[in-house]
Amino acid sequence: KQEVTQIPAALSVPEGENLVLNCSFTDSAIYNLQWFRQDPGKGLTSLLLIQSSQREQTSGRLNASLDKSSGRSTLYIAASQPGDSATYLCAVLIPRMDSSYKLIFGSGTRLLVRP
Amino acid sequence: SAVISQKPSRDICQRGTSLTIQCQVDSQVTMMFWYRQQPGQSLTLIATANQGSEATYESGFVIDKFPISRPNLTFSTLTVSNMSPEDSSIYLCSVVHRLNNYGYTFGSGTRLTVV
């Protein structure tokens, strides 16, 4: 059974710091891994998607890496800003027996960037 | 990627009543997904809604409690029936983009409080 774990559960940093969020998964048979951002009480915004054959993706100050063999992904946020404060969720897309697929989420990292 | 309009954005309901949540997508999609996010928790898949067939429910979720409609390729509804305070959660719909490497897009969520 695929399990997705995110560490740390919460993080508080001063503005300007570079930071790394970690995600691990137990089964390397994934189609892709996606990082999302969720503001309190809101829906999810997709940040980055990494295909299983890829090693990393970049968008602005965000960089996500994927090491499928070890079951790990990291989200790197450069020069953090108070507007980055949110919960960050990683999710892996896995195959199912009926040829469909399912997105499995981690429990999230709650980030606070202090001015 | 697709744009999803979800409504209502929030509601406060009396126990024993039902609430229907609507999701409208700006493009045709084969599958739509409904998720629940209980307070302080991550997202759990409720069911997959396919156009023209019955929804497929995950373990722990039943059609009588969460009936789903999927009348066409751009629209779906989820009803939370006979509500109790334990149903207080954020409910989100989602679609997957096969042409975008199976990336997921989420609606803005419905924040439900049952009193």
Side-chain angles (χ1 to χ4, degrees), chain A residues 29-33 50-53 93-96 99-101:
Chain A
I30 65 171
Y31 287 134
N32 63 40
L33 183 144
I50 312 177
Q51 290 297 101
S52 61
S53 58
L93 187 64
I94 64 170
R96 304 181 79 166
S99 301
S100 67
Y101 35 83

Side-chain angles (χ1 to χ4, degrees), chain A residues 48-65:
Chain A
L48 290 165
L49 183 150
I50 312 177
Q51 290 297 101
S52 61
S53 58
Q54 296 176 323
R55 298 284 293 184
E56 67 177 344
Q57 284 287 332
T58 299
S59 176
R61 294 183 292 109
L62 305 180
N63 175 277
S65 68

Side-chain angles (χ1 to χ4, degrees), chain A residues 9-87:
Chain A
L11 184 62
S12 178
V13 300
E15 182 177 5
E17 265 199 21
N18 302 323
L19 53 98
V20 175
L21 308 182
N22 297 291
C23 173
S24 62
F25 47 96
T26 53
D27 189 339
S28 62
I30 65 171
Y31 287 134
N32 63 40
L33 183 144
Q34 201 164 355
W35 282 93
F36 295 91
R37 168 187 172 138
Q38 185 177 32
D39 293 292
K42 303 294 185 181
L44 276 64
T45 300
S46 179
L47 298 174
L48 290 165
L49 183 150
I50 312 177
Q51 290 297 101
S52 61
S53 58
Q54 296 176 323
R55 298 284 293 184
E56 67 177 344
Q57 284 287 332
T58 299
S59 176
R61 294 183 292 109
L62 305 180
N63 175 277
S65 68
L66 174 64
D67 184 342
K68 200 174 78 161
S69 61
S70 67
R72 294 179 182 177
S73 176
T74 61
L75 179 65
Y76 176 82
I77 302 176
S80 58
Q81 303 170 357
D84 295 330
S85 299
T87 296

Side-chain angles (χ1 to χ4, degrees), chain B residues 30-94:
Chain B
T30 304
M31 290 189 286
M32 294 180 72
F33 306 90
W34 288 96
Y35 286 82
R36 180 177 74 181
Q37 186 178 30
Q38 294 177 300
Q41 304 295 315
S42 191
L43 279 75
T44 301
L45 181 63
I46 298 171
T48 301
N50 299 301
Q51 194 270 335
S53 63
E54 284 195 2
T56 303
Y57 288 82
E58 298 296 309
S59 175
F61 298 96
V62 295
I63 188 171
D64 290 345
K65 177 66 175 178
F66 298 102
I68 288 172
S69 77
R70 185 79 201 277
N72 56 53
L73 291 173
T74 63
F75 187 78
S76 180
T77 67
L78 170 76
T79 299
V80 186
S81 303
N82 188 24
M83 289 184 286
S84 66
E86 291 71 35
D87 294 320
S88 298
S89 298
I90 298 174
Y91 293 85
L92 301 109
C93 64
S94 174

